[in-house]
Structure formats: C-alpha cells, structure tokens
Amino acid sequence: MKLDFEKMGGLIPAIVQDANTRKVLMLGFMNEEAYQKTVDTKKVTFYSRTRKTLWTKGETSGHFLNLVSMAVDCDNDTLLVQVNPVGPVCHTGTDTCWGDTNTADVTFLSSLQDLIEQRKKEMPEGSYTTKLLTEGVNRMAQMVGEEALSTLISATHGTDEQVINESADLLYHLMVLLSSKNMRIEDVVAELHRRRHEASK
C-alpha cells in the first residue's frame, strides 16, 4: 500500500469504520510508525498531535479497535480503517465520536451478502452456507418457503422475538438463494427503489 505521509507533514487522517455496521466511529491521525504498529499488532494505533507520541486506542480503557482491513483513497493520503470495536469508542463513553449508537443498519446486508459470496467461492467444509449451496437451488427454494411459513406462523401466533428470529432466517436463506442465481440483495433493493419511483409519478 502506497501512502503519502509528506503531504500533511508526516501524518495522514485515518477514518475508522465498524466493519459490520459500517458506522463511522472516529477520526484519528497516523504517522508511518503508527501505521506500521497497526499492521503488526492488529490493534489500531494513532499519533497524538498534542502529546507528540503514539497511542493505541484502548491501551488504558481496554476498548481496543481490532483491525479488519485498511484501504487508501485515490490520492494516497487518507486511510479507511475497518475495525471490530471492543466497547464504546469515544472517550465520553458513546459508541462513536458523533454520539451515534453503533447498531447495524440495512447496509449490513451488503457485507452479509459479501460473506455469502465468499462462502460460494471457497466452499469451506462445515459451513451451513456451503451445505445449502451444495444441495442446489431446489433445496434453497424449499428452505425459503419453509422459513416464510415459519415467519407467518410467528406473526399470527408467536412472540415479537420469534417474528424477528424467523424473519432473520427467511432473509438469510433468501440471500443464499439469490447468490446461487448470481444475484444480490442490492438487486432486490434496486427493484424496490424503481417501484417507489414509479409510484411517486
């Protein structure tokens, strides 16, 4: 990865994002040493501009930012750092430095679809997704039907928790079915957008 540390006098901004929820958690700065320590330890480390020293997020609080991946922007002078956070990120005790609650939103479905695509490519042993893909489209379609029926029963005779659980199962199996047909959940979202646009005319 080529990084231009010279443009800002030896520092580059590092935008920290939750790898699962896609929420932006905080902004910090890295010099070359902080970047390398992050790579080596898999714990996100910054350079403090006020204290003039390195600091690893969580070294005193225990609220580490466990590194998932890093990507550089088109000018090679800004990092997007994806992490799995341990506890709240902000020193004020909030999940993010903007006061947001770090919970999953619909963009999480894209990362889940990516994981299903990875399973489809690698077909790891012991994976339930692998098992479904191996059994073929008829079995996957059957599972979508069964989960739809379970959702219906939960909605009419079950608890709110059961409705959520069965709906999650239904959505997951639908996404595996879509992947088997070389489609993604985003294709479904695009169709919903199209219908909304048509209805608003």
Side-chain angles (χ1 to χ4, degrees), residues 13-188:
I15 302 165
V16 180
Q17 180 185 42
D18 189 302
N20 292 310
T21 67
R22 309 292 180 164
K23 285 279 189 180
V24 175
L25 304 177
M26 65 172 291
L27 171 69
F29 289 85
M30 291 184 183
N31 60 8
E32 290 190 67
E33 187 179 0
Y35 168 78
Q36 193 58 53
K37 186 173 181 181
T38 298
V39 171
D40 293 341
T41 65
K42 307 302 182 187
K43 306 286 185 187
V44 178
T45 297
F46 302 102
Y47 178 80
S48 171
R49 294 168 295 166
T50 54
R51 291 178 290 158
K52 311 296 183 186
T53 186
L54 299 186
W55 65 284
T56 298
K57 177 67 177 172
E59 58 192 356
T60 56
S61 66
H63 298 156
F64 291 100
L65 299 173
N66 294 318
L67 181 66
V68 174
S69 67
M70 287 192 285
V72 65
D73 75 338
C74 56
D75 292 322
N76 300 316
D77 61 3
T78 302
L79 277 173
L80 177 62
V81 184
Q82 293 199 325
V83 302
N84 287 323
V86 179
V89 171
C90 186
H91 69 281
T92 64
T94 57
D95 288 350
T96 81
C97 288
W98 289 269
D100 296 332
T101 301
N102 186 22
T103 54
D105 57 25
V106 293
T107 59
F108 165 74
L109 294 178
S110 290
S111 61
L112 178 58
Q113 190 79 71
D114 289 341
L115 178 60
I116 292 171
E117 290 293 328
Q118 183 179 350
R119 293 285 191 271
K120 179 183 174 183
K121 179 180 179 181
E122 299 174 356
M123 299 294 276
E125 292 185 12
S127 164
Y128 179 64
T129 305
T130 297
K131 180 175 181 292
L132 285 173
L133 291 166
T134 301
E135 290 176 343
V137 67
N138 289 344
R139 175 58 176 161
M140 284 179 274
Q142 178 186 352
M143 288 302 300
V144 170
E146 290 179 6
E147 296 300 345
L149 180 59
S150 295
T151 302
L152 184 154
I153 294 170
S154 296
T156 54
H157 295 92
T159 65
D160 291 348
E161 182 180 3
Q162 289 172 326
V163 173
I164 293 297
N165 287 336
E166 295 299 343
S167 296
D169 288 343
L170 171 59
L171 190 53
Y172 161 75
H173 285 89
L174 175 61
M175 292 173 71
V176 176
L177 177 62
L178 288 170
S179 182
S180 75
K181 304 291 287 184
N182 297 316
M183 292 179 281
R184 293 178 59 94
I185 194 67
E186 292 91 341
D187 298 321
V188 178

